[in-house]
Structures are given as C-alpha cells and as structure tokens.
C-alpha cells in the first residue's frame, strides 16, 4: 500500500476513555465530560489521534451506559450537549477526533421506544423489539441464554409475551429486521456525525442480525446487508473511522467487515486470544493458565489474513477486560519492564493500536476481597449464579480479580492525593490502593517511565512508515517464552524479540538476523550474534536496511 492511499486512522493511535472512571470535575464521585476536557493536554502530549468514549448518552446506568435510554441526550451525570460540543472542538484543536460508542444491538428498558412497545401489542414501536409468545407449556420461547447469566427471555405479564435480551433484561434487543427501526438508527447516527465526531465504535455489532427462532444470535444471515445499508445511509462519503466489536469474528470473517471493497467498517475488535484462555463452562471466571504459543498463533493468523486487505485493531485491554500488565505481564516485581515490553510488542504490529485509560502508566488489576466492592452487573450476576451452583465464593473472587470487568473500571490514577486525584468526593468505585505509587504525576516525573515509552511508540508510528505498512513475519512460533517477529517494507526491516517470562531466556539467532541493528525507541543499538540472552521481560528492538527471507 502506498502512502497516498492510506487512511488517517492507519497512523493514529486510539485512546479509550471510560468516562465514569476518568476524571471527576464536580466532586460527585463520577467522571464527566468537563473532567475529560481538563485532561486533553495530557492526551495530546501522549500523541494520540483519537479518543474512543465509552457511552455518554442518557441511561439508567444498569450497565454503565451500555443501556441507552436516549440516543440524542447526554447523561446528566456526564454533562450537557454543550459540554460535548466543547469536547469535540477542544479535542480537534489538539488534533484529536472523538469516536462515540454506538450501542444499537439493544436499548435500555427505559428508552421511550421500549416503554411504548411494552404498553400494548398494538404499539407502533412493538416491532422495534423482539417479542415471542410463551411456549405451549407457558415457559420460555427457547433456551437461549443471556451473556450476563440467566435466560435471554423475560416475560412481560401485561402483554403476555416475552422480550428478547442478549444481555440484562433491562437491555432489550432491538429488532433489526424492522426497516423503520433501522432508518431511525441511521438518522441518529447522522445527527452525531454532523456534530463533527470522527466515527463510531460499534458495540456487539455481530449480534444485531439475530434470528432467535432459529437459535441464531451472532452472525445472522442478514448481518452484512445491515452493515452495508448502514454504511450507505450514514458513513459513505465521510472520512470517518469505524470499529466493530465482534466476539465471534475470525480472520476469515474479518475481511467481510473490513475488506476494501465491502463498504462496511474500518476494522473489528476480535477476542480469539482472550477467549481461548477461558474455562469451557465457567468462562472467564475460571481462567486457564496463560499460553503464549496460542496467543502468538492467533495474532499471527490475524496479521497474515489482513496483510493486504482489511485492517487489524491492536489492543491488550478495554473496559471489559482485565489490566494488560496483570494478565500478560508481571504486575509486581517486573511491572515496569513487562508493561513496556507488552506495549512494544503490540504497537509494532500492523494495525491501529488502542490504549485503554491507565494502561500507559501500568495500572494493575484490583485486589478486592469482598463482593461488596464490585459494581459490575455481570460480576454481580455471575457471583449469584456461582453461589447458587454451590461453588466456593473464594474461587469466584479469585476469578473476578483475575478477569472481572471492574479491574479496568477503578478510577484513573492521576496523583497520590486521596482517591488517586480522580475526585474530590467519594468515588463510585474504590481506587486501587497502589495509586500512591502508580500515578500520572509520578510517571511524568520519571524520564524512563512506562508513560514515556508509550509516547515514543505512538510517535514512532507517525514517523516510520514501516510500522504502518510493513509485512509481518513471525519467528520462533513454537517457543513458549519468547514472542519474536520482523516487519519489512521494501529494503527496511524492524525486529522485535520479547521475553514474556520473569526468567533469563537464551535463544539461538538465525544467520539471517545476525549483525547490527540500529536503535529504535531510544534503546541501545543491538548486535546479534549466534545466541542472545534476554533479561526478564526484556524486549530487543532494532532497525536495519535489509529485508529478510526465512
Ligand atoms: C459490549 C460492551 C460491554 C457491554 C455489552 C452490552 O460487550 O463492551 O461493556 O456490557 O456490550 O452492551
Ligand atoms: Ca462528576
């Protein structure tokens, strides 16, 4: 791909903000839009080009805004529409675009469409949702389960039918088969696009074309027709970026979403490496040990499948996942080393990198010990179901501390003042007690901090075309402790060799890779001989004016 045919979002780095937990401007304990505006200089200095905002629309907040009651109003706890317009304008001045979270698989049960739909079988909004009669025995229409635990059907006694919800009962699924619903969604999207946003992150977009009568939830037959229609009606002719969340995407289906001639999305988020670490029955609540070979295999498959068409999103964490350094690194003795190593490995891959708030200072999972400390609807529901199934509570808490969603939702750690400088009041969820050591102010004062390292990586993507366009070639694929690859563009190459363990690891260097490597990221130049020893979580990087054949 030549430089001129590139899209702006291929050289940009995205930063995800979970508004509730980022910065509180008025002391009510909840982050808000004015709080975000106050941190824009920090984000500009980090070098990012896009902010993805988790939902900010009016919502009863059962699922922290992923249950929207009004798509065209800002939740009062986050601010006003004027605040939002100011955010867009102030971000733009700093070269940053705003990506909104488009949650259109479902609404809140407090959305006026659902309130109306529920009021009568004859409501003009009835068919905006998915209703079914009880089974002949009066029971559930079928046995589809919801993601947050329990059946995906809830009975509405007043109208005698069940509504369908792939998440909580308070998140009724929209019926995308209804063309009027689709037109309303597109009108709403255009309204936001005309306010100057840079695009959308699309929540569980793979689920919209559900056909529950046939047991189909993800990847319904009409999915890509809907996304193409959406593209025609909203995105076409606008220079925006879109990223679809798809827990079912594979390297093959990724091209259906992001292929050059598909007119659908810029890219998808995929979760193959996340899910392969989960227990068969109890999922993320009983995690399996980390398997680097499996992780590399997934990443390699995606890098290869989207090498010439489509585009990858690159991320270690988000608001649904544990903290990267706790999951894939060492959040104790080697926290700094492993956080930098993980950042290097990810940011030098081909794709658009995403940084989840706090990752750039190496924030860690929380050490909660009681269920009272959690806030997440999924964690609380699963806790109840685990206890009902007779499983020990301590096992559940261990699982939740390893993989639960609140790990990434504790307040952003700005300084060592009370509650990490996040709020002057009482935060809606406790700050991680390690904020006294791990915070932005401390990172800024340290020239070798994780934060500095992120700045260098983000800047490198803007200045070195190889990082954007270079071909990915894995090496040592079966090695259980080392992640190694090269990227090559014309006659220039980049090398990454990362130790994922807390031990020294010695590897043999193939003849082709031996020799001098120019420094990258302020590291020392590397001279590779027959063998190399990597210190715990060390990553070796280098640049060379040659290309490699393996
Ligand atoms: C997505 C969101 C998650 C939310 C769910 C339902 O997976 O990332 O936070 O709970 O969709 O909207
Ligand atoms: Ca607030």
């Amino acid at each position: 791909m030549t430089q001129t045919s590139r899209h702006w979002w291929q050289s940009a780095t995205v930063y995800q903000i979970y508004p509730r937990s980022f910065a509180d401007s008025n002391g009510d304990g909840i982050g808000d839009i004015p709080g975000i505006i106050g941190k824009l200089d920090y984000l500009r200095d980090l070098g990012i080009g896009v902010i993805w905002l988790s939902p900010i629309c009016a919502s009863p907040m059962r699922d922290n805004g992923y249950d929207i009651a009004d798509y065209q109003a800002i939740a009062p706890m986050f601010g006003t529409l004027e605040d939002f317009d100011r955010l867009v304008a102030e971000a733009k001045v700093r070269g940053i675009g705003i990506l909104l979270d488009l949650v259109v698989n479902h609404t809140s049960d407090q959305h006026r469409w659902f309130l109306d739909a529920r009021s009568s079988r004859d409501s003009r909004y009835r068919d905006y949702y998915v209703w079914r009669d009880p089974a002949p025995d009066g029971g559930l229409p079928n046995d589809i389960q919801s993601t947050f635990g329990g059946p995906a059907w809830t009975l509405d006694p007043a109208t005698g039918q069940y509504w369908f919800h792939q998440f909580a009962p308070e998140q009724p699924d929209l019926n995308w088969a209804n063309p009027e619903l689709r037109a309303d969604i597109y009108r709403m999207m255009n309204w936001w696009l005309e306010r100057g946003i840079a695009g959308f992150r699309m929540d569980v977009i793979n689920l919209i074309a559900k056909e529950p009568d046939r047991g189909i939830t993800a990847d319904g037959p009409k999915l890509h027709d809907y996304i193409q229609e959406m593209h025609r009606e909203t995105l076409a002719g606008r220079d925006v970026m879109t990223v679809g969340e798809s827990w079912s995407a594979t390297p093959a289906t990724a091209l259906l979403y992001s292929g050059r001639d598909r007119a659908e999305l810029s890219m998808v988020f995929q979760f193959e490496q996340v899910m392969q670490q989960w227990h068969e029955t109890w999922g993320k609540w009983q995690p399996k040990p980390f398997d680097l070979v499996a992780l590399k295999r997934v990443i390699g498959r995606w890098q290869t499948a989207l090498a010439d068409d489509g585009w990858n999103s690159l991320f270690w964490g988000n608001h649904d996942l544990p903290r990267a350094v706790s999951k894939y690194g060492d959040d104790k003795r080697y926290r700094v080393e492993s956080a930098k190593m993980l950042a290097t490995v990810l940011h030098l891959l081909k794709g658009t990198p995403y940084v989840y708030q706090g990752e750039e200072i190496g924030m860690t999972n929380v050490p909660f010990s009681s269920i009272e400390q959690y806030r997440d609807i999924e964690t609380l529901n699963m806790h109840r179901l685990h206890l009902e199934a007779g499983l020990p509570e301590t096992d559940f808490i261990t699982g939740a501390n390893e993989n639960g969603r609140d790990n990434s939702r504790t307040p952003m750690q700005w300084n060592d003042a009370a509650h990490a400088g996040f709020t002057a009041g009482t935060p809606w969820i406790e700050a991680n007690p390690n904020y006294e050591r791990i915070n932005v102010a401390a990172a800024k004062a340290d020239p070798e901090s994780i934060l500095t390292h992120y700045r260098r990586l983000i800047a490198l993507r803007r200045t070195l075309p190889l990082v954007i366009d270079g071909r990915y070639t894995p090496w040592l694929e079966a090695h259980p402790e080392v992640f190694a690859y090269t990227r090559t563009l014309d006659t220039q190459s980049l090398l990454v060799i990362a130790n994922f363990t807390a031990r020294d690891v010695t590897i043999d260097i193939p003849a082709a890779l031996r020799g001098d490597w120019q420094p990258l990221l302020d590291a020392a130049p590397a001279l590779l001989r027959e063998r190399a020893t990597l210190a715990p979580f060390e990553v070796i990087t280098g640049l060379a004016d040659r290309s490699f054949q393996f």
Side-chain angles (χ1 to χ4, degrees), residues 23-33 77-78 422-423:
D24 175 21
S25 72
N26 61 354
D28 67 354
I30 299 170
D32 46 53
I33 296 173
M77 65 173 66
F78 293 149
F422 160 73
T423 179

Side-chain angles (χ1 to χ4, degrees), residues 63 66 106 148 167 201 203-204 245 319-320 405 409:
D63 188 17
Y66 285 93
H106 46 267
F148 292 163
F167 296 90
R201 176 264 186 186
D203 194 61
V204 288
E245 183 199 24
H319 65 294
D320 294 328
R405 306 199 300 178
R409 299 176 180 188

